[in-house]
Every structure is written in C-alpha cells, then in structure tokens.
Amino acid sequence: MRAARLALPAVLAAVAAVVVGPGTAAAAEAACTWKATALPLPAGMTQGRAIAADNQGGHAGIMMGSGPERVVLWKPDGVVDYGQVPFAPYLVTVADVNRSGTVVGHGLRTMYTYGPFRSVGTRIEALPVPEGTYSATAKAVNDRGDIVGQYVRKLGERGRAVMWPVDRPGQMVELTGLPGTDTMVANDIDEDGTVLVDVVTSNGSPTGYRWRDGVATKLVPPVASKDVSGEAISAGRVVGWISPADGSGLRAVQWDAAGKASLLPDGRSAQSVNRDGLAVGAGASTVIWRNGKLEAKLPSSPQLFAGKVGDDGGVPVYTRTNNKDTPLVYRCG
C-alpha cells in the first residue's frame, strides 16, 4: 500500500503531566519537570502507540482506525504512514527505528508464529528468512541498518539469535560463539555492532551477554543472581534486570562500558537507555534514571506503557483508557 505523508496540525495538544517525584530530597533537586505532549492522529485514525525514538525528534509506532493497524513515524514536520504489514494486518509489534527512519518489528502470521519486517522507503516489507522457517522476530536496528532478533527454524526447536546485516542484503545470519545450546534471543544492537543476547534455559532463566564479532562476554551482576538479562545498549552502556539469589525480587541494573554493574534505585527492570545515560524502566510505575540516579517517576494513572528513550531525550509512551491507546512523548523541560 502506498504510504502518505501528512502535515502536522499547527498546534499539538499538550497533556499536563507533572511527574510524581521519588518522594525524597532528590525530588526537590530535580533539574526539570517531565511533561507529556500528545502525538497527532491523522483523519480516520482513532488511537495509536508510540514505541521507539529515531534519536532526532521522531517516534515510531502504530496507529489504528476502523481497519488494519498501520506502522507510523511521527516526525517534527509531519506523520509518515508506512501502511500495514502485508502479512499481518493485526497484532503488529513495532520494536525499533533508526535515524534514517527504518522501522523494524514483527507481526503475527498465525496463532503461534511471527514474521519479521522492516520499512523500505515508505512501505513495509518482510525480512528474509530461510524457507520453511517456523517463526522469527526483529527486535532492534542500529543507524547503520543492521537488524537483530530471533529465529526459530522448526516447531519445538530452540530459538537462535540472528542478524540481518546491512552489507549482506537478503541474508539472515546466525550469531556464532554464544555458549551452550539453550534458546537465544538478540535484544538490542549498539552503533559499533555489539549485540545484547540473552541465553535462556528451558525453565526461563536468562543469562545476558555482550556479543561482537563472534566473541561473547557475560554480563556480571552486582550481587549474586539467579537470572541476568540485558535489555538495551547504547554507547557501550547496558541496562536490564537481575533476580538476586537472596530472593529479594527483581532489580533494575546498569552496566558501564567497562562491564561494571550497579543497581538502579526504585526499579524492577530497566528497558531502554540513550547515549547520555538517560534510562527508562519499571518499578511501581515507569521510572526514569539519569546516569544511574533516580530522576523521576511518570504517572501511573491512566495505565502507561513506556517505549525506547531517544538520544534527543524524548521518551515515547502510550496511555490506555477504556481500551483506547493514546500516543505521547515525555520530555524534560
């Protein structure tokens, strides 16, 4: 379907959103107030979800009206409508977007299987997978255009961490050099090609690794842990979560570029990070950290889902009220 580029309205609706502070002196010392701005929906679209930032003011996601879901990129000067995913009109997951506007994700092919996609120009196309593939997902893309995700060759087989390298068009490549034979999934990719991979046992216990050029380096937790997962990477910094061996519950964690880990306060998991150390995750509500310190908590009512923070400092989110999703962007100002 041919995509259309639509002009933004002259004035976007501002959504009042004074951030719920951490409840300590740190709240009074916060450098700014986090506020939300609504993203526009073109005529015929009634709801949307902002999921990922292109690092220069744009935010990718999906929008919906009375028909199939459509992949969208909200940019400062307009809305890019990529149309629907050809093989998955519904239950579409937008996972990431890069500075060039390449959107990646996956859609439900059948009740249990997924197919990966990317945007090319202003349309969506399927990513190549080997003939007979049972299921595959795309999880992240870097600015070079390398895409990573997971591939399941046949029903009942373990998932494998894979890459679609930009310099090898039409090919999907399995990441080699990872330990063991358990299920593997590539969660994110940095600009230098470092990939975050979780190796997951049959009982669902993950161990996180940095992978680059066939060499895997384990993420070492700050305390003894049963589970370790790396969710996002930027400029060498990794965020994710651990399950401490003492049974104290999930904890959000950050690893610096040298691999040193530290706990992130008031969080159960950290799910995205930008090159400047701004991280977003979950605790009792959505939590924002700056360089490892608690900065703010976003309102928990209405129900809020946070996406990937951008290098420009914007946090795409969507709120849900009465089963209706509203796309927003939070910024510190």
Side-chain angles (χ1 to χ4, degrees):
M1 183 175 294
R2 189 172 184 272
R5 191 177 182 86
L6 305 167
L8 283 172
V11 180
L12 299 180
V15 178
V18 177
V19 171
V20 180
T24 67
E29 298 172 1
C32 60
T33 299
W34 284 81
K35 299 179 181 179
T37 301
L39 292 170
L41 291 170
M45 299 292 108
T46 57
Q47 54 183 319
R49 300 171 189 159
I51 303 296
D54 70 0
N55 297 322
Q56 49 190 2
H59 300 90
I62 64 171
M63 58 185 180
M64 298 153 280
S66 59
E69 297 168 351
R70 304 178 72 83
V71 178
V72 63
L73 179 61
W74 287 277
K75 294 181 69 66
D77 61 348
V79 179
V80 183
D81 179 359
Y82 293 93
Q84 71 184 73
V85 177
F87 55 83
Y90 299 100
L91 296 177
V92 171
T93 297
V94 166
D96 202 4
V97 61
N98 66 12
R99 291 179 189 271
S100 299
T102 299
V103 180
V104 301
H106 43 273
L108 196 69
R109 286 186 180 274
T110 69
M111 187 176 294
Y112 302 107
T113 68
Y114 292 90
F117 68 79
R118 68 177 167 202
S119 66
V120 177
T122 53
R123 62 183 175 83
I124 299 296
E125 69 173 27
L127 280 165
V129 295
E131 186 175 354
T133 292
Y134 176 69
S135 186
T137 56
K139 301 291 292 292
V141 59
N142 64 12
D143 287 343
R144 199 173 91 108
D146 299 313
I147 301 167
V148 296
Q150 187 187 51
Y151 156 71
V152 180
R153 189 172 69 94
K154 291 182 179 180
L155 176 63
E157 290 191 359
R158 66 179 178 88
R160 309 175 187 188
V162 294
M163 178 186 295
W164 289 268
V166 70
D167 58 1
R168 297 167 69 175
Q171 294 188 44
M172 183 196 76
V173 179
E174 185 174 350
L175 305 188
T176 60
L178 290 160
T181 59
D182 290 318
T183 292
M184 302 173 187
V185 58
N187 289 326
D188 201 5
I189 182 169
D190 210 345
E191 300 307 330
D192 67 355
T194 300
V195 182
L196 273 187
V197 179
D198 275 353
V199 178
V200 187
T201 64
S202 58
N203 66 2
S205 179
T207 300
Y209 293 84
R210 283 185 173 99
W211 177 97
R212 188 176 180 191
D213 297 332
V215 178
T217 304
K218 185 182 292 188
L219 295 174
V220 179
V223 296
S225 299
K226 297 178 291 184
D227 306 313
V228 180
S229 176
E231 296 288 335
I233 185 170
S234 182
R237 184 185 283 108
V238 173
V239 297
W241 57 271
I242 62 171
S243 175
D246 63 8
S248 57
L250 300 185
R251 298 293 304 275
V253 178
Q254 175 175 282
W255 289 265
D256 65 18
K260 182 180 179 181
S262 57
L263 296 173
L264 293 169
D266 284 21
R268 293 192 294 266
S269 67
Q271 294 141 1
S272 71
V273 64
N274 73 6
R275 65 186 177 192
D276 299 318
L278 190 67
V280 179
S285 62
T286 296
V287 185
I288 298 175
W289 300 274
R290 192 181 298 274
N291 295 320
K293 296 181 179 180
L294 177 64
E295 177 160 312
K297 299 178 182 179
L298 300 187
S300 56
S301 181
Q303 190 177 14
L304 184 148
F305 302 86
K308 293 185 175 182
V309 61
D311 288 345
D312 63 344
V315 181
V317 309
Y318 62 95
T319 58
R320 179 169 294 166
T321 304
N322 297 325
N323 291 319
K324 182 178 181 180
D325 296 333
T326 300
L328 310 165
V329 176
Y330 268 90
R331 292 188 183 278
C332 181

